[in-house]
């Protein structure tokens, strides 16, 4: 571990202690995991404490672990992962928090800590169904208003639940159950018996 990462690791342990469920180094970056109950307080300290100084949250995304490791995953299903940047200290940090309830995954919103996460949290809500408690405008971002389900969940069907098309009789766009017609993906190729034989070239 480089001296810079060693200093960051020591600072994290100093300020959070038992609140760190894990601290791992991989590919030259530190990743910490915190409990959902500590998430907002830890993230606020990561921003405000000069020894840490993570002024920017450059990314936030949802993760569905339900099929991780070919289904051998035993922990909670949904997590939120943030990537933080400290310009003052030239550090990067990954923070992971698991939602406690797999049926209704929810964690605290970070919009009061970094306003930049507004759209990131809306995206994670839309695609994974993770609710962000305290977000003042949590609505779908990438799917349609009437969309059913969350398309990045591992149990969401690849073809979706419904499809939309323009109906000329009704003069509007309508939703209907998905219809998939059988099709041949590989074209049939007919070649002469002597194809590729140099003797018949």
């Amino acid at each position: 571990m480089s001296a810079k990462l060693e200093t960051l690791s020591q600072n994290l342990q100093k300020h959070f202690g038992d609140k760190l469920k894990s601290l791992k180094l991989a590919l030259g970056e530190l990743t910490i995991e915190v409990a959902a109950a500590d998430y907002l307080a830890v993230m606020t300290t990561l921003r405000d404490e000069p020894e840490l100084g993570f002024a920017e949250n450059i990314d936030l995304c949802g993760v569905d672990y339900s099929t991780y490791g070919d289904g051998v995953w035993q922990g909670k299903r949904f997590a939120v992962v943030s990537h933080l940047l400290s310009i003052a200290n030239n550090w990067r940090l990954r923070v992971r928090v698991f939602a406690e309830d797999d049926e209704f995954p929810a964690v605290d919103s970070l919009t009061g800590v970094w306003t930049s996460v507004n759209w990131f949290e809306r995206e994670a809500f839309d695609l994974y169904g993770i609710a962000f408690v305290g977000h003042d405008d949590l609505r779908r971002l990438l799917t349609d208003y009437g969309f059913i389900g969350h398309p990045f969940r591992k149990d969401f069907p690849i073809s979706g639940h419904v499809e939309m098309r323009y109906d000329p009789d009704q003069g509007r766009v309508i939703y209907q159950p998905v219809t998939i017609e059988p099709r041949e993906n590989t074209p049939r190729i007919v070649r002469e018996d002597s194809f590729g034989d140099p003797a018949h070239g």
Side-chain angles (χ1 to χ4, degrees), residues 2 16 18 24 42 44 63 72 82 110 116 134:
S2 70
F16 301 122
D18 293 340
K24 296 178 182 174
V42 166
T44 303
V63 183
V72 298
S82 291
L110 299 179
S116 62

Side-chain angles (χ1 to χ4, degrees), residues 107-171:
V107 298
D108 288 323
S109 173
L110 299 179
T111 53
V113 183
W114 296 281
T115 55
S116 62
V117 302
N118 179 10
W119 280 43
F120 297 147
E121 289 183 350
R122 284 181 59 190
E123 181 183 50
F125 165 70
D126 189 3
L127 301 179
Y128 291 95
I130 300 170
F132 291 88
V133 180
H135 194 294
D136 59 2
D137 189 23
L138 196 60
R139 55 195 163 96
R140 289 190 181 272
L141 181 67
L142 299 173
T143 58
D144 193 18
Y145 293 116
F147 193 86
I148 298 169
H150 304 283
F152 277 19
R153 287 188 174 190
K154 299 300 183 183
D155 53 6
F156 189 84
I158 293 175
S159 60
H161 295 292
V162 295
E163 62 186 8
M164 66 179 195
R165 67 173 178 82
Y166 179 76
D167 187 311
D169 296 332
Q170 297 184 41

Side-chain angles (χ1 to χ4, degrees), residues 15-57:
H15 288 284
F16 301 122
D18 293 340
K19 288 184 178 179
L20 295 179
K21 295 184 79 175
S22 72
L23 188 154
K24 296 178 182 174
L25 174 69
L27 303 175
E29 289 188 1
L30 283 174
T31 300
I32 63 171
E33 184 182 323
V34 297
D38 299 324
Y39 180 53
L40 185 58
V42 166
M43 296 302 253
T44 303
T45 302
L46 285 168
R47 180 196 65 183
D48 294 342
E49 173 54 54
E51 286 188 314
L52 300 167
F54 289 97
E56 292 188 33
N57 186 321

Side-chain angles (χ1 to χ4, degrees), residues 170-189:
Q170 297 184 41
R172 64 183 181 89
V173 172
I174 64 166
Y175 289 90
Q176 65 185 39
V178 174
T179 56
I180 300 177
E181 298 175 9
R183 59 183 175 208
E184 189 174 320
N185 291 329
T186 306
R188 187 167 174 251
I189 299 171

Side-chain angles (χ1 to χ4, degrees), residues 188-200:
R188 187 167 174 251
I189 299 171
V190 178
R191 294 187 172 133
E192 299 171 1
D193 291 338
S194 59
F195 181 83
D197 186 346
H200 293 87

